[in-house]
Amino acid sequence: MVLNYIWIFFFGVAFLVALFKLLFDGDTEIFSAMIKSTFDMSKTGFEISLGLTGVLTLWMGIMKIGEQGGAVKVISRLIHPFFKRLFPELPSDSPAYGSIMMNLAANMLGLDNAATPMGLKAMQEMQEYNRKKDTATNAQIMFLVLNTSGLTLVPVSIMVYRAQLGAVNPTDIFVPILLATYFSTLVGLIAVSIYQRINLFNKVVLAYLGGMTALICGVIWYFSTLDRETIAVVSGAASNIILFSVIILFIAMAALKKVNVYNAFIDGAKEGFSVAVRIIPYLIAILVAVGVFRASGAMDVLMSGFEYVFACMGLNTDFVKALPTALMKPLSGSGARGMMIDTMTTYGADSFVGRLASTFQGATDTTFYIIAVYFGAVGIKNTRYAVPCGLISDLAGIIAAVIIAYLFFA
């Protein structure tokens, strides 16, 4: 229902803005640009889904090996005390725990291609316990919001873009991103817990959250001792080594249990194609709406409105120039990436605005894209409170990014 209103809002506002431009500015090309955007976004949505097919096939096959070899069960036991309290609806022996952990770990390392199939696998496993197949469960919403909060330990891709655009120190946004994304995740967790009445003051929950906080502080300290070239090398190598080690561990454990590894991979891989096909209509729907909203100029109008409001409040409006990246991020990852690059190109990679745009890019994740893909893969239409909680998490990340950027870069 929420996505329905959002869809109508995007198209309605886009039409009104375009009509205004036609009548008062004489812009006869505006509707042409909007129609072109619908075709372009439809093609993009299909290409993204098609591009996911190979990755989904690979990682669903790997996850099946992990399931049959017992590796997923071992992972589940390690995080079970914590996740049992965050996902009380899931049975203690559910394989979804392992998939959830693998997905979150891949996201933390910035391995998006690996995270998506693991997340879809987790959604499918949680869907098995869903009595109302078209309505999101509490467990699925908690998992989705943890994803949309975008907790990232190593934002390698953002550092690479900054280096390409001439930043003197491309890694200077590492700590700000880590802090902003942590606040985003924490607020998202609290928001969902309030809806679901989960006790976050439980000793076990506090112990795990405290350990995670200590880990993040340790990572911050370690990377703060390295120069920018070493950070890029270490973070990239660590991500790839960890990922490949997981694959080898899954295969080794399955081989020790005398599982037919090849057949297990094929059984899991078969699911990849069907999942990719199911995603197509949901993904195209949200991308077309976003594209029309951008093409109409509604995004530019929105930015002007924000700048006026903040100026009236007596606030420094320097950050407004970076807001397009923040507002686009929940809608489209590639769109936000384009906004970030455009901002750095226009104002400079080492400008306050350029650094803030980079921090926005790493602070949260693509809420509506994740909702469209993850819920679409299992046929969920009623998202309940997933969108509000996801957007609350995004807002926390945006506010944290602005405050942190002023502390670090102003």
Side-chain angles (χ1 to χ4, degrees), residues 152-154 174-175 178-179 182 209-226 231 234:
T152 304
L153 295 181
V154 188
F174 171 72
V175 174
L178 190 56
L179 294 174
Y182 180 69
L209 289 178
M212 186 181 299
T213 301
L215 174 63
I216 288 176
C217 290
V219 171
I220 292 173
W221 173 81
Y222 173 69
F223 278 99
S224 67
T225 63
L226 306 177
I231 288 177
V234 171

Side-chain angles (χ1 to χ4, degrees), residues 107-128:
N107 273 327
M108 289 179 187
L109 295 171
L111 304 172
D112 297 338
N113 289 338
T116 299
M118 292 173 185
L120 292 173
K121 184 67 174 177
M123 270 291 176
Q124 288 180 323
E125 289 165 344
M126 286 186 281
Q127 185 71 351
E128 294 178 7

Side-chain angles (χ1 to χ4, degrees), residues 17 24 27 38 40 44 86 91 106 111 146 212 235 250 258 278 285 290 308 315 317 321 334 356:
V17 171
F24 295 95
D27 188 350
T38 62
D40 290 344
T44 299
L86 295 187
L111 304 172
L146 290 178
M212 186 181 299
S235 60
F250 280 17
K258 298 183 179 180
R278 286 200 300 272
V290 171
Y308 175 77
L315 299 176
T317 59
K321 295 182 178 65
S334 59
L356 178 55

Side-chain angles (χ1 to χ4, degrees), residues 148-149 184 330 364-367 389-399:
T148 62
S149 66
S184 173
T364 61
D365 212 330
T366 50
T367 299
C389 286
L391 292 179
I392 288 172
S393 174
D394 291 340
L395 179 61
I398 291 170
I399 293 174

Side-chain angles (χ1 to χ4, degrees), residues 159 167-171 223 226-236:
M159 296 178 189
V168 175
N169 183 5
T171 62
F223 278 99
L226 306 177
D227 57 64
R228 64 177 183 270
E229 290 83 5
T230 306
I231 288 177
V233 172
V234 171
S235 60

